[in-house]
Amino acid sequence: RVYFSTVEPRTMAPGWQANNNLISLDFSPNGWISKWKTIIDTNSGGVYGWWGTTFSLERGGNRIAFARPDGVGLVNDEGAFESYLNVIPYQTGADWAWVPSISWSPDGQFLYTVDHLPEEGLANPEESKSFAVAAISLDKRSTIHLVQRAGMFAYAVPSPLMTYEQERQYRIAYLQANLPDQSDVSRYRLMVMDQDGSNTTTLFPKEGETGLEPQVVSWSPIPMSDTGFYAIAVIYQGNFYIIDVPSGESPAGNLRQITGDGLVSRVVWSMRE
């Protein structure tokens, strides 16, 4: 089954008008394709809805999360947006809109996102430059801000469940802006922390080196065969790197550069049975 959303082409920037809908279709290996099933009808998408809504499927496919410029939450059983976090829309002053990132914890109890926070003394909160990595508890419907002033493109991504001191836990990879007050144009550093926001460690790049372009990093689906650690795939200056991440308080393991031609633009892990 695949899920997708559609847009209407426009001659004016950015070149489309988002429908903010959600559609699914089923298919089989022999080429059979089902009819489209509408889960969410075309709608305005809230504030700055012309840019588009982001959707994220829970592992196992039971629930669907959404993010749009003014909120983060779940698609309910009636096919409607149910907000768990109301977000202050960011006023870019340009022909693009900022949409919070969303990712599921491996146990399905939390959504990790980036919240836009007001700044004291600022008349218009939509112009605030303060962005925090946040964890939304789906059970308690509450939000915890884990990293203040991380930057608008922090893109927090939880790891798979790891075993540390006989407990199952996970870690969070995210990007930290080098210039938090200019995070829309800033370079970033790759960080990792425990699921509660503790034990924060800088992984890459080293102090004094050029920072990363904003990107969603990717955890390996299983531990690496040669180290036994889960790893993070990251793109740096057009090349693909892998960084081992031990569980607990251990420092990061090996940094391995995989390509050298500077032509990599996207990395997706694939696990063979």
Side-chain angles (χ1 to χ4, degrees):
R1 177 174 297 171
V2 294
Y3 295 84
F4 59 95
S5 189
T6 64
V7 301
E8 300 296 331
R10 293 289 185 269
T11 56
M12 299 177 60
W16 70 83
Q17 167 69 52
N19 288 326
N20 299 291
N21 56 350
L22 184 61
I23 298 169
S24 72
L25 63 81
D26 297 341
F27 64 95
S28 67
N30 63 14
W32 172 83
I33 301 176
S34 71
K35 293 182 178 180
W36 290 12
K37 177 183 177 181
T38 299
I39 300 170
I40 297 178
D41 288 320
T42 297
N43 61 89
S44 64
V47 180
Y48 306 136
W50 46 267
W51 183 260
T53 301
T54 299
F55 296 97
S56 178
L57 189 66
E58 179 187 15
R59 184 178 180 87
N62 295 321
R63 293 177 293 179
I64 301 172
F66 75 88
R68 59 189 197 181
D70 60 357
V72 176
L74 298 181
V75 177
N76 64 24
D77 293 337
E78 286 72 42
F81 296 114
E82 186 173 348
S83 289
Y84 282 58
L85 172 65
N86 293 321
V87 177
I88 300 171
Y90 176 64
Q91 192 174 95
T92 66
D95 56 7
W96 61 278
W98 173 77
V99 178
S101 61
I102 47 170
S103 56
W104 288 87
S105 67
D107 57 12
Q109 296 182 19
F110 289 88
L111 287 177
Y112 287 87
T113 186
V114 176
D115 194 8
H116 184 209
L117 304 177
E119 290 183 287
E120 187 176 352
L122 196 63
N124 183 4
E126 291 191 8
E127 296 179 350
S128 169
K129 304 295 184 181
S130 180
F131 296 87
V133 174
I136 304 173
S137 171
L138 299 179
D139 181 37
K140 299 179 180 178
R141 299 178 72 101
S142 60
T143 300
I144 305 168
H145 293 106
L146 300 175
V147 183
Q148 299 288 338
R149 307 193 72 79
M152 67 171 64
F153 301 128
Y155 296 132
V157 182
S159 73
L161 285 169
M162 305 174 175
T163 301
Y164 175 65
E165 294 184 347
Q166 298 183 337
E167 291 186 4
R168 297 285 280 170
Q169 57 183 258
Y170 57 90
R171 309 198 77 187
I172 310 294
Y174 70 96
L175 303 185
Q176 171 63 56
N178 293 338
L179 302 171
D181 290 332
Q182 303 175 47
S183 65
D184 56 333
V185 295
S186 174
R187 296 277 183 151
Y188 286 74
R189 304 185 303 278
L190 176 61
M191 316 288 289
V192 69
M193 62 182 173
D194 289 349
Q195 62 192 69
D196 61 359
S198 61
N199 296 325
T200 301
T201 302
T202 302
L203 295 184
F204 185 69
K206 295 180 180 179
E207 185 73 26
E209 294 182 343
T210 302
L212 299 167
E213 292 281 358
Q215 60 188 279
V216 180
V217 300
S218 179
W219 288 88
S220 62
I222 59 175
M224 305 299 290
S225 59
D226 56 343
T227 65
F229 298 136
Y230 285 91
I232 298 174
V234 62
I235 298 172
Y236 182 58
Q237 297 181 340
N239 289 311
F240 169 35
Y241 290 75
I242 291 177
I243 306 171
D244 297 321
V245 184
S247 58
E249 300 181 10
S250 302
N254 297 329
L255 169 67
R256 290 176 274 185
Q257 183 174 346
I258 307 303
T259 69
D261 57 13
L263 299 177
V264 178
S265 59
R266 182 79 181 271
V267 174
V268 178
W269 286 96
S270 175
M271 183 172 65
R272 294 182 179 178
E273 297 294 339

